[in-house]
Amino acid sequence: MDVPVTGAPSGGFDGRTAWNRFERDRTLRALRARWRTASLAAGWRFPSDWGLPEVDAVCAAVLENGRVELTEVAETAIAGLGRARAAAGAGLAETLADLAALHAVLADPDAVDSFLAPDADATPSRLLRVTALAWADVATDQLVNTEVTEPLTGLPTAAYLRTRLGELYRQARRDERPVAEAHTLLVVSMDFSSVAGWPRLTGMILVADALKQVFDGGESVASIGPSVAGVLVPKDLRLASSGVALRRALHERLSVDAQLRDVGRPRISAVRLPATYDLACDLLGGLARS
């Protein structure tokens, strides 16, 4: 009497159906395992990031009808994987190397894993094109929708502040009056020389929170450097009273943490904007290094 393979179903029509499903799942798992091995050998950097649901969709598509084929269905699944790789942060070169690993496994199903040689140049051009276009769609969308804010503080970056200054200097040139007549740069700087790591990061988060609370009327608030933030304040805003309110808000937040209390009082200074945009950019660079 024949003894079924361990874990395999047996018996009748239903048993045959279950057996076919078992064989298909085993083949899918084997393909996935060999693809992963080849991809890691080709240079995939983070093994834990390789497995995605789209990987299983590709394996199922190329094994459609029990044959290893790169059909139109498989190309659609591969495009989906390209998009998923981009969304997960994988680079294009790494994504194409992963595709080459799949092609090497499919091209020689009987090869020992150690003899597989993934080669992007040997991968069919249509698959490279499908994958690259799908990856680029997501990567381009991410680039277009990237916010010009720091993830830590939530403040716009110094690049945003330079853009805003460029607008102000163009307006000043049109109005034929200096930028300094209409705006002042209020700068908040912290001396974190006595602390490092999380206290410094926490301190800047609290500084950002205080700035956003006090200057909530459309003023341009931004991070200038690792320990420096600033805001472009219109001259018609009462600068003295705003400075007092900012100092109070900073004290309330920074005094809560014992380590931040040792840092000392933040320095708040009103900086006159220079005559030209280039000099203003130089000013920001100097403040960032202070």
Side-chain angles (χ1 to χ4, degrees):
M1 181 177 68
D2 293 335
V3 179
V5 177
T6 301
S10 62
F13 177 79
D14 291 339
R16 191 180 316 113
T17 301
W19 173 263
N20 291 337
R21 187 182 303 113
F22 171 80
E23 281 292 302
R24 175 180 170 79
D25 291 344
R26 184 169 64 174
T27 304
L28 284 171
R29 289 194 299 271
L31 173 60
R32 190 182 192 279
R34 296 195 68 218
W35 179 9
R36 183 179 185 276
T37 299
S39 189
L40 296 183
W44 188 269
R45 293 174 297 170
F46 303 108
S48 61
D49 293 341
W50 182 83
L52 295 173
E54 289 77 8
V55 167
D56 297 323
V58 170
C59 290
V62 298
L63 291 175
E64 189 179 17
N65 299 322
R67 300 190 303 274
V68 177
E69 290 185 295
L70 290 173
T71 61
E72 185 175 340
V73 173
E75 290 185 18
T76 300
I78 287 171
L81 178 60
R83 287 188 288 271
R85 292 291 190 215
L92 179 58
E94 193 170 31
T95 299
L96 294 181
D98 180 52
L99 177 64
L102 172 64
H103 182 258
V105 169
L106 296 179
D108 194 352
D110 298 323
V112 179
D113 290 337
S114 59
F115 292 105
L116 286 171
D119 182 4
D121 292 336
T123 308
S125 59
R126 73 180 189 281
L127 293 184
L128 293 174
R129 183 173 63 256
V130 164
T131 305
L133 288 175
W135 183 94
D137 280 345
V138 174
T140 302
D141 184 65
Q142 288 178 333
L143 180 62
V144 169
N145 291 288
T146 298
E147 295 184 0
V148 289
T149 56
E150 287 189 341
L152 180 67
T153 63
L155 290 179
T157 63
Y160 163 80
L161 190 56
R162 287 193 296 269
T163 299
R164 183 72 184 106
L165 283 169
E167 295 170 346
L168 292 179
Y169 276 90
R170 288 194 296 273
Q171 180 182 351
R173 186 167 58 249
R174 185 194 64 190
D175 296 342
E176 297 183 347
R177 68 170 186 168
V179 169
E181 287 188 6
H183 288 82
T184 296
L185 180 63
L186 192 67
V187 177
V188 180
S189 56
M190 300 286 292
D191 181 7
F192 291 114
S193 58
S194 60
V195 297
W198 284 112
R200 186 189 70 79
L201 300 178
T202 302
M204 290 311 297
I205 292 173
L206 295 176
V207 167
D209 185 62
L211 281 167
K212 286 185 285 188
Q213 175 193 319
V214 174
F215 298 99
D216 60 351
E219 298 84 7
S220 298
V221 183
S223 172
I224 297 176
S227 304
V228 185
V231 53
L232 283 172
V233 183
K235 280 292 185 68
D236 56 4
L237 190 69
R238 288 180 294 180
L239 187 60
S241 60
S242 296
V244 171
L246 177 59
R247 189 173 296 280
R248 184 183 302 116
L250 288 169
H251 175 73
E252 290 174 354
R253 288 160 175 77
L254 297 174
S255 61
V256 173
D257 191 297
Q259 287 183 289
L260 294 176
R261 285 199 297 269
D262 297 335
V263 169
R265 298 176 65 183
R267 296 190 302 274
I268 303 176
S269 55
V271 179
R272 181 180 175 84
L273 291 169
T276 68
Y277 172 70
D278 289 340
L279 289 175
C281 290
D282 291 341
L283 171 65
L284 292 184
L287 290 171
R289 294 188 293 272
S290 63

